[in-house]
Amino acid sequence: MPDFRGKACWDPATAANTISVEAISPSAAVFRATHAPLRIQRARLDGRQLVLEGQPVDERTVLHDFLNHESNSGALLMPIVGESGSGKSHLVRWVREHLELVDDGRRDREIIYLEKHRTSLKAVVQSLIAKADSDELKQLKAEIDKFTADIDASVLARRLIHSLNETFVAETGRGVSGPARQLFGPHGLGALLDDPHVSEFMLQPEKFVPQLATYLLRDRTKGDKDRPPKFTVDDLPLDITDVSKASALAKKWVQVLSAKAELQEIAIDLLNEHLETAINRSFNLGMGRLLEAMTLVREEYHRQGKEIILLIEDFALIQGVQKDLLDALVEAAHREGATRLAPIRTLMAVTTGYFRDLPETALTRVQANLGYAYDLDVPFSEEDTGEEAIASFVGRYLNAARIGKDRLEQVGGAEPPNACDACPLQPRCHDAFGASADGFGLYPFNRSALTRMVHSTASKDEPWGFVPRTVLGSVVRPILIEHAGSLQRGEFPDAAFSESFPTADIDTTLDTSVRSLIDTNDQVAGPRRKLILEFWGDAAAQGLEIDPTVMEAFALSPMAAGAQTPLKQPRREAEPSPQPSATPGTAKTEDKTYPPSVQRSLQNIEEWVTRGDDLKQDHARAIRTVIATAVAERYRWNAPLMQAQSNVKEKGWPNNATVVSIEGSAVAGITGADSAPIQFKRSATNSRFFQSLIRAQYGLDQVRGEDIRRLATLAERHAGALASRVQRNLEVTDDDLVLGLRASILGAGLAGRCWPGMSVEELLAAAVDDGDAWEGTGVMSRPDRWTAALNQHLSARSALVKRIRAGIGISQGSRGAVGVIDAARAIPLLEEATATWAWETPAGSIPEWVKPAVKPFASWSALIDGQVTMLKDWLGDIRMRQPRSTPGNHTLASIRTAVDRAREVSLSLSAQRARELDTLLERAGAVEWSAISALEDDLGRCDDDRPEAARLTARIRTAAQDRGASIEVIRNLLCVADEWLDEALKGAELRASSSAAKSAAEGVQELIAEWRSLAVEGADQP
C-alpha cells in the first residue's frame, strides 16, 4: 500500500505559476479549467443603494440577459457590482470567453474589450476606436501617441498638480455654499497646490498623483499594488515634516485642513471632482474629446450595421476619460424616430462604492433601461453554509495546480483531465479527504477544513462572505506553496497555520475538555492534533479519532492507550446571531441558572483558549484576585521570619498582571507582567482551572476538586514569591537589610558602642539598639566634627532600627511591636554587613529608610582620621611626661611630693591652680592608668607593617572605642603638673638671693630633675 505520509501531489512552483488571484492573469485554458460557478444575484436600484432580490443566478443567465435585454434608447449599461476580489472581472472575462459560442458566427456585433491591466489612456482610446476609421479618430490617436512618447511619469505628475492648481484658481466658487467656498480662488486650495514644498510632498512615490501619472502612461503589470483610484485623505499635505518651509498661505491651509476633518473631506471630493479636467488639460485633449470620438465610432458602426458590445473589466481603473466614456455609453442611439448611432451594450465591472458615486446621468439611464445590477457580494449563511460551493470552487484550482499551466494549455479548450484519476492513493484519499462534485480531490483540505479556513479569512464584518480572490490568495495558494514543505516534513499544520487561520466566530471551537485530554496525553504533537481535530475533524464533532488516513497523511499516531475513547458529542450548532453572552459556534459553557455576569465570564474564558480571544480585563482581574489572595492568606510570615503585613496588596502583592500574568489578557499600561511570579499560558487546562475559580468565587457548583487542590498548591509554591515581593516593596530584602545593618553598626561605632573585633552577639545587640539612651552617655572627648556626625545619625536612628527589627523580627499581630529577632537570619546578614567597616555608595540604590541615617558617613574616613590624630596627640603629651615602664602610682606620688615640697618653701600655687591640680590628682588616683598602654598598643597597630586592610580595621577599632575619662584625666594632670613645676622653678630662681629661698629653689630643682630623669630613663628603656 502506498505511503500517504507527507504526500504532496503537486509541485509548489507549478502551483504558484498556475493559480493566480487575478481573473485577467491566467491563459484561456487555465481560466476555463479553473472556472467555477460564481454567486450572482440581481440587485434592484433604490436611489444609489442596491437591494438584493430573487434567487441567485448563474453566469449563463447574466450572458443571456446582457445580449437579449431590449433597451428603448439603444444604449444598455449593465453593471456587475461587487467588492474587490468578488469575481467581477472574472465574470466579465467569462462572458467574453462565451460570446463566440452564443453568437455562432454572427458578424453584426463588434466586441470591444477593455482589459483590467490595459488601463493606460493610450490603450483605452486605442481599444475604443481601434476599428473605426476617420480623419478625426486618426488625429486623436496620433496626438495621444505623440504625447505619451514625449513625456515621462514624473513630468506628467507635475503637470497634473499644476493643472489642478489652475482649475481651483480659475474657479470662483460662485454658487457654492458652506465651507467649500473658501477652497476656490487664488487664495484657496490652489495656493496650497502652487507651493513648491507642498507639491513635493504630493509628488512622493507612494502618493496618488505619481501613481496616476504612471498608470496613465503605461499599462498595469503583475505586482502593481492596488490602491484607491482617486485622492484620499492620505494624499493631503497634513503631515509635512517641515511645514515652516512652505509659504505663509500654504502653511495656513495645512494648519486649517489638519484641524478640520470636515474640510478635509470637502477638499478630497473637490480634487476628485476636478481630476478628469486636469487630466484632459495635461494631455491637451480638452473635455468632451473622447465623447466626440466615441460618437464618431458609433456612427461608423451604425453605417456598418453593427451593434457594439463593450466589456469593461474594471471601470474604476480607467482614469481620465470616465465622464466622457460614460456619457458616450448612455447616449441614446435612437433620436427623433431614427437610429443615428450604433446600439451599444456595455457590461461594466465596478466596485460597490464606486458604483454609488457614478454620475446621476449614468445611474438614471441604468434605472430607466434595466433597473438592476448584478451583484457578486452574495454571502453564505447559517442556512446555506456554502460547503459544496466552496469545495467545487477550490477543487478545480487544486486540479489545475496538480496538472500545471503547461499541460492545461496543451489541452486547449477541451475539458481538463482529472489528475486524481492516475493516482494510486485516490480511493483512500477521496474517502478520507473528500472530492468535489466534479470528482476533484480536496486533499490536503477536506470540506470542514476548507469551510473553516474560508470563514477564518473572511472579513469580520461579513463572516459568511465568500470572496474568491481572498480564498485563492489567503487559503489555496498559501497551503499549496508555503505549507507544502511542512506537510512533507510531517509538521503540518504548524504554528504558522494556527497564526494564519484563527477559528472564526461563526465556527464551533474545540471543547476545552478535548484540549485538556490532548494536553495530558500528547506532549509532542498536541498543538497539531488540536488543529486537525478542529479544522479537519470539525471541532471533534464525531469524536477524538478521525479517519486514520487523515492522521497518516499528517504524520500523527493514535494517542496513548486510555486516551482514545471517542468523545461522542452531539454536533454543536451555532447560536442564533447576535448573542451578547456567547459567540455563535462556541462550545457551550454557560448554565442558564448562573447569573449573566458569570455566564459571560465563563464564555470569555472558554473562548480565550478555543478562539484565541483576549481574556477581558474584568474577567482576568477576578481570576488574579482569587489566586493572589489565596497565596496571601496561606502565607505565615515565617520564611523568613518577619513582621506580618495587614495589606499585602499595597505592600507589593497587588491583584494585577505584575503578580499573576495570563497570556492573552489585557495588560495595557502594566509594566512588569513579563516577570510576574505566577504565569499562565493559554491552554485548555488553565481554562478549566479558571472556570472553576469563577464558579467557586460565586459559590456555584461544578467546581472540580483537582482545581481547588491546584489552587492550594499554587498558594504554597508561591509563598516565597510573595515574601520576596513584600520585602522588595518594604525595602527589607537581604541586600537592603545588609545596608541597613551596616548603617546601624557604623552609627553605633560613632557612639562608641561597637567596633571591629567584638563578638557577633555584641554587634547584633548594638545593631538593633535604637540609641534612645545613648545621647550624652559617652565619656571620652571627641572632635567636634565627630560629635556633629553622631548627633545627625542619632536623629534618624530610631526609624532605621525600627525597619531593621521589622525585617528580621516578628511581632504579635500585624500592628504590634517586634518582640523576637530571627537570629538565624540576622547573624549572616550582620556578618556580611560588618565585612567592611566603611560606608561606600552601593552599586544599587540605597533604601529610602537608610538614607537619612547615613548622611554623616560621607566623611567617614575623615572622622576616623581626626579621632586617631587626636588620640596620637594625647598619647604624645602623656609619653613626654610619663614613661611606659613607670607605674601610675609612682607618678602620682612624685607629683604630690613635688607639690608638698614646694609648699614647704613657700612656692605655693595660685588658688585656682591649686584647686585644679588637687582635683586632677584626686581623679587620676581613681582612673585606670593601664588604658595608656592599651591605647599605645592600638595606635601601634594602626601604623605597623601589616596589610592595608588590617591597618584600616585597626584605625577604626582604635577610633571607635570609648576609652572613658582615663586618658584625658591623666594627660591633663601631667600637662598641668608640668606647667606648674615650670612656674615653680621660675619662682625659685627669682628668690635665689636669700639663703632660705636658695635652699628651697635648689630642692625644687632637684625634685624636678629627678622626676624628669625618671621620664627620660623610662623613655629610653626598650
Side-chain angles (χ1 to χ4, degrees):
M1 181 182 297
D3 187 8
F4 211 147
R5 178 188 174 94
K7 176 69 174 178
C9 52
W10 66 92
D11 175 62
T14 300
N17 191 41
T18 303
I19 301 177
S20 172
V21 297
E22 295 287 351
I24 61 173
S25 297
S27 63
V30 174
F31 179 84
R32 285 190 292 270
T34 55
H35 173 74
L38 296 167
R39 292 181 61 76
I40 310 168
Q41 196 166 346
R42 280 187 179 181
R44 173 175 49 83
L45 268 69
D46 183 4
R48 290 185 174 272
Q49 302 300 316
L50 292 169
V51 180
L52 294 175
E53 60 182 15
Q55 297 298 315
V57 299
D58 60 14
E59 294 88 340
R60 295 188 180 278
T61 300
V62 175
L63 176 59
H64 182 272
D65 190 21
F66 174 60
L67 295 179
N68 294 284
H69 189 94
E70 292 297 332
S71 170
N72 294 331
S73 66
L76 177 71
L77 179 61
M78 181 177 286
I80 305 296
V81 183
E83 294 299 337
S84 179
S86 59
K88 304 181 301 296
S89 300
H90 187 99
L91 177 56
V92 172
R93 180 169 179 182
W94 186 93
V95 168
R96 178 197 181 191
E97 296 286 338
H98 287 74
L99 270 174
E100 295 180 1
L101 300 177
V102 297
D103 276 2
D104 194 22
R106 288 178 55 174
R107 297 186 178 182
D108 58 347
R109 287 175 173 164
E110 185 65 36
I111 299 174
I112 301 175
Y113 189 54
L114 298 185
E115 299 177 58
K116 186 174 182 178
H117 71 287
R118 299 194 70 240
T119 54
S120 67
L121 189 59
K122 176 180 178 180
V124 170
V125 172
Q126 286 179 341
S127 297
L128 290 172
I129 64 178
K131 296 183 180 179
D133 192 15
S134 71
D135 291 340
E136 293 89 339
L137 296 179
K138 289 178 181 178
Q139 178 65 25
L140 176 61
K141 285 192 288 186
E143 290 177 7
I144 293 178
D145 288 347
K146 183 176 186 306
F147 181 84
T148 55
D150 293 343
I151 195 170
D152 64 22
S154 62
V155 174
L156 178 58
R158 293 185 180 278
R159 187 174 293 187
L160 287 170
I161 294 287
H162 182 68
S163 297
L164 283 168
N165 166 43
E166 290 180 340
T167 300
F168 282 99
V169 170
E171 291 280 353
T172 62
R174 184 177 300 168
V176 178
S177 59
R181 183 165 186 172
Q182 62 184 307
L183 294 170
F184 292 95
H187 300 294
L189 197 57
L192 185 64
L193 299 175
D194 190 46
D195 184 88
H197 192 60
V198 173
S199 63
E200 287 301 321
F201 173 86
M202 299 184 70
L203 289 170
Q204 293 175 4
E206 69 276 10
K207 301 300 180 184
F208 172 62
V209 172
Q211 294 185 38
L212 171 64
T214 298
Y215 293 139
L216 284 170
L217 294 176
R218 71 160 175 83
D219 294 331
R220 291 173 180 262
T221 60
K222 187 176 182 180
D224 284 341
K225 295 181 179 179
D226 286 339
R227 62 147 292 157
K230 56 184 179 180
F231 282 101
T232 66
V233 173
D234 292 337
D235 299 303
L236 290 178
L238 304 179
D239 55 349
I240 299 180
T241 54
D242 192 0
V243 72
S244 61
K245 294 181 180 179
S247 66
L249 189 54
K251 193 186 308 179
K252 168 207 154 189
W253 272 114
V254 169
Q255 295 169 346
V256 170
L257 287 173
S258 298
K260 297 183 178 180
E262 177 187 2
L263 205 58
Q264 294 173 18
E265 295 299 328
I266 295 173
I268 292 299
D269 290 343
L270 289 174
L271 285 168
N272 288 321
E273 180 182 340
H274 291 82
L275 180 59
E276 190 160 322
T277 301
I279 293 174
N280 279 278
R281 180 179 288 149
S282 298
F283 275 83
N284 296 320
L285 287 177
M287 291 302 293
R289 187 78 180 276
L290 183 63
L291 175 60
E292 295 174 3
M294 283 299 297
T295 301
L296 291 174
V297 170
R298 290 183 65 184
E299 288 176 350
E300 174 66 22
Y301 286 129
H302 172 61
R303 286 192 292 272
Q304 297 178 21
K306 289 185 176 183
E307 180 183 48
I308 299 174
I309 303 295
L310 177 59
L311 306 176
I312 304 175
E313 283 192 348
D314 193 336
F315 181 75
L317 297 180
I318 300 175
Q319 301 286 342
V321 292
Q322 289 174 340
K323 186 177 182 303
D324 275 7
L325 180 58
L326 273 175
D327 288 343
L329 299 184
V330 299
E331 182 71 22
H334 311 305
R335 298 179 183 177
E336 300 176 358
T339 300
R340 301 179 181 276
L341 303 174
I344 184 168
R345 295 178 182 272
T346 303
L347 188 67
M348 180 177 73
V350 60
T351 61
T352 307
Y354 207 91
F355 175 77
R356 296 192 182 107
D357 292 337
L358 287 177
E360 192 66 34
T361 53
L363 287 175
T364 302
R365 188 58 57 88
V366 173
Q367 180 71 54
N369 284 339
L370 197 63
Y372 55 85
Y374 282 104
D375 197 334
L376 271 66
D377 291 331
V378 184
F380 293 112
S381 64
E382 293 181 63
E383 294 74 24
D384 176 16
T385 62
E387 189 173 78
E388 287 303 321
I390 294 171
S392 177
F393 174 83
V394 173
R396 298 189 71 87
Y397 279 95
L398 293 175
N399 187 58
R402 295 178 185 120
I403 296 173
K405 174 183 175 183
D406 294 340
R407 285 185 58 200
L408 288 173
E409 290 177 349
Q410 292 172 5
V411 172
E415 186 68 19
N418 187 339
C420 295
D421 291 344
C423 178
L425 290 169
Q426 186 208 49
R428 295 179 63 204
C429 180
H430 286 201
D431 284 346
F433 290 92
S436 69
D438 298 317
F440 301 127
L442 299 180
Y443 176 75
F445 307 94
N446 65 2
R447 280 173 169 75
S448 171
L450 266 178
T451 304
R452 285 173 172 270
M453 292 165 75
V454 169
H455 294 168
S456 176
T457 54
S459 166
K460 295 293 184 183
D461 298 329
E462 290 286 347
W464 293 99
F466 179 79
V467 181
R469 182 186 298 171
T470 301
V471 174
L472 292 176
S474 298
V475 178
V476 179
R477 280 178 59 91
I479 295 299
L480 297 186
I481 301 169
E482 299 166 17
H483 291 267
S486 64
L487 176 65
Q488 292 170 320
R489 293 190 301 270
E491 300 170 358
F492 179 83
D494 53 14
F497 177 95
S498 179
E499 184 176 343
S500 299
F501 302 104
T503 304
D505 291 343
I506 58 175
D507 285 332
T508 308
T509 56
L510 190 63
D511 192 86
T512 50
S513 61
V514 178
R515 292 175 181 271
S516 182
L517 183 64
I518 294 172
D519 288 340
T520 302
N521 293 278
D522 190 351
Q523 303 294 324
V524 177
R528 294 179 56 231
R529 191 180 298 274
K530 283 182 277 190
L531 286 172
I532 292 169
L533 283 174
E534 181 157 311
F535 280 82
W536 282 262
D538 199 14
Q542 306 305 319
L544 274 176
E545 295 303 325
I546 61 176
D547 194 294
T549 301
V550 174
M551 307 301 279
E552 177 190 340
F554 295 149
L556 275 182
S557 303
M559 282 201 302
Q564 302 179 27
T565 304
L567 298 179
K568 290 292 184 181
Q569 304 169 11
R571 171 74 176 181
R572 292 167 291 175
E573 299 298 335
E575 289 289 334
S577 180
Q579 275 286 349
S581 63
T583 303
T586 300
K588 304 300 186 296
T589 61
E590 71 269 20
D591 184 325
K592 298 304 181 183
T593 62
Y594 289 174
S597 61
V598 177
Q599 293 181 29
R600 288 192 294 272
S601 183
L602 296 176
Q603 194 68 32
N604 180 220
I605 295 169
E606 178 82 9
E607 293 170 350
W608 167 71
V609 68
T610 58
R611 298 188 181 281
D613 289 355
D614 281 346
L615 192 60
K616 294 183 177 176
Q617 189 172 1
D618 52 345
H619 304 154
R621 187 187 303 114
I623 294 166
R624 293 187 180 109
T625 299
V626 172
I627 296 171
T629 302
V631 177
E633 291 182 350
R634 202 171 186 90
Y635 187 56
R636 295 293 175 262
W637 305 101
N638 57 3
L641 188 68
M642 62 184 296
Q643 188 173 21
Q645 302 297 319
S646 58
N647 190 347
V648 296
K649 184 176 180 180
E650 295 179 357
K651 303 292 173 56
W653 194 254
N655 302 330
N656 63 27
T658 64
V659 170
V660 181
S661 175
I662 304 173
E663 181 183 7
S665 63
V667 291
I670 298 292
T671 57
D674 292 342
S675 58
I678 306 175
Q679 299 196 13
F680 292 96
K681 293 293 186 182
R682 194 194 301 266
S683 72
T685 301
N686 288 335
S687 173
R688 302 185 78 187
F689 175 56
F690 292 163
Q691 291 183 48
S692 279
L693 296 186
I694 294 297
R695 294 187 180 100
Q697 187 182 34
Y698 286 93
L700 304 174
D701 57 0
Q702 298 184 25
V703 179
R704 301 189 309 166
E706 61 193 87
D707 292 327
I708 300 302
R709 291 190 293 274
R710 182 182 178 188
L711 181 62
T713 302
L714 281 172
E716 291 284 355
R717 181 187 307 153
H718 294 287
L722 180 146
S724 178
R725 284 296 187 96
V726 172
Q727 286 177 314
R728 285 203 300 272
N729 181 271
L730 296 176
E731 295 185 308
V732 290
T733 64
D734 285 359
D735 290 341
D736 295 330
L737 288 172
V738 166
L739 291 175
L741 287 167
R742 182 173 297 148
S744 180
I745 286 294
L746 295 182
L750 285 177
R753 299 290 168 157
C754 65
W755 48 83
M758 293 180 70
S759 69
V760 70
E761 292 80 11
E762 293 173 313
L763 291 174
L764 181 58
V768 297
D769 192 326
D770 58 18
D772 287 347
W774 290 357
E775 191 172 358
T777 61
V779 178
M780 185 175 72
S781 295
R782 302 282 191 178
D784 291 343
R785 190 173 183 181
W786 183 289
T787 303
L790 173 61
N791 291 335
Q792 186 178 10
H793 170 79
L794 288 176
S795 67
R797 184 174 180 84
S798 179
L800 172 76
V801 173
K802 183 178 180 180
R803 188 64 71 91
I804 292 174
R805 291 176 181 175
I808 59 176
I810 191 169
S811 62
Q812 185 171 0
S814 59
R815 299 182 182 274
V818 174
V820 177
I821 297 297
D822 184 2
R825 181 179 182 219
I827 289 176
L829 299 177
L830 183 62
E831 289 174 342
E832 184 177 351
T834 55
T836 175
W837 281 73
W839 186 262
E840 298 176 355
T841 303
S845 60
I846 304 173
E848 291 297 322
W849 55 274
V850 175
K851 289 179 179 179
V854 300
K855 287 181 179 178
F857 299 163
S859 56
W860 177 257
S861 296
L863 293 174
I864 298 300
D865 291 344
Q867 181 69 32
V868 170
T869 299
M870 188 185 78
L871 292 173
K872 284 183 177 180
D873 291 343
W874 284 4
L875 181 63
D877 290 342
I878 292 171
R879 284 299 178 228
M880 285 176 63
R881 301 166 176 87
Q882 163 69 18
R884 180 175 181 127
S885 60
T886 302
N889 57 350
H890 290 183
T891 301
L892 285 173
S894 297
I895 295 173
R896 286 193 181 100
T897 300
V899 171
D900 292 341
R901 186 74 59 87
R903 285 172 174 165
E904 291 175 1
V905 296
S906 301
L907 291 174
S908 301
L909 301 167
S910 66
Q912 180 179 355
R913 178 70 76 179
R915 286 194 299 272
E916 180 183 7
L917 193 54
D918 288 341
T919 300
L920 287 172
L921 284 168
E922 181 179 356
R923 292 182 63 191
V927 301
E928 292 291 337
W929 284 69
S930 60
I932 301 172
S933 298
L935 172 61
E936 191 169 25
D937 291 341
D938 286 343
L939 287 172
R941 283 187 284 269
C942 294
D943 298 314
D944 59 18
D945 56 358
R946 290 182 303 165
E948 175 65 24
R951 283 185 279 122
L952 178 60
T953 300
R955 291 173 69 80
I956 296 171
R957 181 168 56 246
T958 300
Q961 291 184 57
D962 189 339
R963 300 174 188 272
S966 299
I967 305 297
E968 192 171 4
V969 168
I970 294 170
R971 171 188 174 273
N972 290 341
L973 171 63
L974 294 177
C975 289
V976 169
D978 197 21
E979 291 173 4
W980 167 75
L981 290 172
D982 284 342
E983 292 175 8
L985 181 59
K986 290 178 182 178
E989 291 174 347
L990 291 174
R991 297 172 59 185
S993 58
S994 67
S995 59
K998 182 178 181 181
S999 176
E1002 291 175 350
V1004 171
Q1005 289 173 340
E1006 291 174 3
L1007 179 63
I1008 292 173
E1010 179 184 354
W1011 179 27
R1012 286 183 173 166
S1013 67
L1014 290 174
V1016 171
E1017 291 173 4
D1020 291 339
Q1021 290 180 4

